[in-house]
Amino acid sequence: MSTFHPLRVTAVDSLTDDSVALTFAVPPELRPLYGYSPGQHIALRRHRAGADTLTASTEVRRTYSLCAPACDEPAELRIGVRGVEGGDFSSYAVKELRPGDTVDVLPPSGRFVLEPRKGRFAAVVGGSGITPVLSIAATLLTREPEARFCLVRSDRSTASTMFLEEVADLKDRFPDRFQLVTALSREEQQSGLPSGRLDEQRLSGLLPSLLSVPDVDGWYLCGPLGLVEEASRALRGLGVPRGRIHQEIFHVTEAPTAPSAARSAAGGVSHSASVTANLDGRSGCWPMDDGESVLETVLRHRADAPFACKGGVCGTCRVRLLSGEVRMERNYALEPDELEAGYVLACQSHPVTEAVEVDFDG
Ligand code: FES
């Protein structure tokens, strides 16, 4: 089971006015544990301001994507962090963290991954959604000489664009295999696309003009919910099978749905639901309080249960449902094939049957 380890910050590089790249040193004995695939992320945690002890209720966790090429035993980890208005963790990371500070970091995870292989791949990203795709593109182009990558990125302006130099470097190193198109919503460019948002209609016209859509082996969509949904609809409209579209949401603006009370199979409220959870080789069975998610119940008894966003976005709390039935409030993390295989998000799951059993290890 993954546990947090304190890692030392070795560099805080300013990327834009409101974003930084953070580098952490990984001690030699932990390096195999922190190996990662291109596109994966790490979860960080900190005390809420004023909290003396670190408990599930006082800590803040956030996931951030790794931006450097993949590595099996990394000596360092580099992530991109953009400050979000009112963002407890991101403000701290952008404004307060300094080299020499220590942060608790979970080993990498996530399934928004492209293992290098021959073929044509493409990405549509918005804002900080470039972060995992930078790792994906750099790893792919460096390791697989017969792979090509097309990146369509959008941002507000040049000044707000993260990893400009790193992306330009890919263009210089792989001029024949890396294609870059930039759309700026609030700034006219001397060359390239006219200003304006990338929406479904625009992407439906743009993508076929850039590359042969049916020949693309995998599409990687990353950024705010709106952009990812528009891009996904555009691709489906162009005939791209769902299985070739991979997506990761960075920001979900609407407020999380309030947890509803546990419901019985008939749709009524059950006051006697229980959850059995296997976690790190140990099992427990606990009654659920009304309205609790599966994760909340488990966390009351097992503080080591994995989670980060609690919002259905990061996928850290993924469990396999072994028996019973749950209803998920929302899901922006699991792909259709994972749902079919019986995975659910513990932070979004409420029981529909009197008893449910989940496996965090599966
Ligand atoms: S903790 Fe992020 S999806 Fe559940």
Side-chain angles (χ1 to χ4, degrees), residues 217-275:
D217 299 292
W219 291 88
Y220 289 78
L221 315 179
C222 189
L225 178 63
L227 175 76
V228 170
E229 286 185 336
E230 299 263 356
S232 182
R233 278 200 296 272
L235 290 172
R236 297 310 307 277
L238 292 166
V240 176
R242 179 67 188 83
R244 288 196 192 174
I245 304 174
H246 310 277
Q247 52 191 55
E248 182 151 276
I249 311 289
F250 267 25
H251 306 299
V252 178
T253 43
E254 78 252 38
T257 312
S260 61
R263 290 173 169 79
S264 71
V269 176
S270 166
H271 293 285
S272 56
S274 68
V275 58

Side-chain angles (χ1 to χ4, degrees), residues 44-46 60 62 64 87-94 103:
L44 314 184
R45 76 175 175 188
R46 69 177 291 237
V60 182
R62 290 292 178 270
Y64 294 102
D88 219 340
F89 202 102
S90 62
S91 303
Y92 158 74
V94 171
V103 179

Side-chain angles (χ1 to χ4, degrees), residues 1-344:
M1 170 57 58
S2 297
T3 52
F4 283 95
H5 294 275
L7 299 186
R8 196 167 45 82
V9 177
T10 54
V12 181
D13 301 314
S14 175
L15 297 173
T16 66
D17 280 355
D18 62 353
S19 67
V20 293
L22 296 179
T23 306
F24 299 94
V26 184
E29 67 277 13
L30 291 179
R31 286 175 192 166
L33 191 61
Y34 280 82
Y36 61 95
S37 297
Q40 287 197 304
H41 51 241
I42 51 176
L44 314 184
R45 76 175 175 188
R46 69 177 291 237
H47 293 267
R48 226 177 263 287
D52 296 329
T53 51
L54 192 61
T55 67
S57 60
T58 60
E59 72 185 36
V60 182
R61 296 186 181 192
R62 290 292 178 270
T63 52
Y64 294 102
S65 293
L66 294 148
C67 56
C71 184
D72 289 338
E73 296 194 11
E76 53 183 36
L77 302 171
R78 193 166 191 244
I79 57 172
V81 180
R82 167 159 274 162
V84 177
E85 206 171 320
D88 219 340
F89 202 102
S90 62
S91 303
Y92 158 74
V94 171
K95 294 180 186 156
E96 294 178 38
L97 269 183
R98 295 285 173 267
D101 292 346
T102 297
V103 179
D104 285 341
V105 179
L106 267 187
S109 65
R111 287 162 296 284
F112 184 70
V113 164
L114 170 55
E115 295 293 356
R117 63 182 199 267
K118 278 187 215 172
R120 292 172 177 269
F121 301 91
V124 179
V125 306
S128 54
I130 183 62
T131 314
V133 171
L134 182 59
S135 175
I136 284 174
T139 310
L140 178 78
L141 295 167
T142 306
R143 293 197 193 164
E144 177 48 69
E146 292 186 51
R148 308 173 83 85
F149 199 88
C150 173
L151 171 63
V152 179
R153 70 180 305 188
S154 72
D155 222 303
R156 292 190 305 275
S157 64
T158 307
S160 72
T161 302
M162 295 169 71
F163 296 116
L164 267 179
E165 277 178 32
E166 287 83 350
V167 171
D169 180 55
L170 284 182
K171 223 172 162 245
D172 290 344
R173 286 169 58 205
F174 307 102
D176 301 331
R177 297 194 289 125
F178 181 64
Q179 185 180 8
L180 170 67
V181 176
T182 303
L184 299 176
S185 58
R186 299 189 195 158
E187 182 181 306
E188 286 298 346
Q189 303 177 86
Q190 288 190 331
S191 59
L193 299 177
S195 69
R197 269 184 72 238
L198 281 183
D199 57 16
E200 179 185 354
Q201 192 187 7
R202 214 167 160 212
L203 285 165
S204 300
L206 172 67
L207 297 176
S209 74
L210 295 175
L211 72 183
S212 171
V213 171
D215 294 337
V216 176
D217 299 292
W219 291 88
Y220 289 78
L221 315 179
C222 189
L225 178 63
L227 175 76
V228 170
E229 286 185 336
E230 299 263 356
S232 182
R233 278 200 296 272
L235 290 172
R236 297 310 307 277
L238 292 166
V240 176
R242 179 67 188 83
R244 288 196 192 174
I245 304 174
H246 310 277
Q247 52 191 55
E248 182 151 276
I249 311 289
F250 267 25
H251 306 299
V252 178
T253 43
E254 78 252 38
T257 312
S260 61
R263 290 173 169 79
S264 71
V269 176
S270 166
H271 293 285
S272 56
S274 68
V275 58
T276 302
N278 307 322
L279 172 58
D280 202 12
R282 286 191 293 132
S283 178
C285 178
W286 306 287
M288 300 184 73
D289 285 349
D290 284 353
E292 268 188 339
S293 68
V294 167
L295 178 70
E296 287 167 328
T297 305
V298 175
L299 276 175
R300 282 197 288 112
H301 303 274
R302 291 287 301 270
D304 55 334
F307 73 91
C309 72
K310 285 190 179 173
V313 175
C314 71
T316 309
C317 66
R318 186 181 86 147
V319 291
R320 193 191 282 273
L321 186 62
L322 299 178
S323 66
E325 212 180 310
V326 297
R327 182 179 52 79
M328 276 200 284
E329 293 288 342
R330 59 185 192 170
N331 166 36
Y332 297 115
L334 299 181
E335 302 275 349
D337 60 327
E338 295 176 283
L339 296 171
E340 260 168 46
Y343 289 103
V344 295

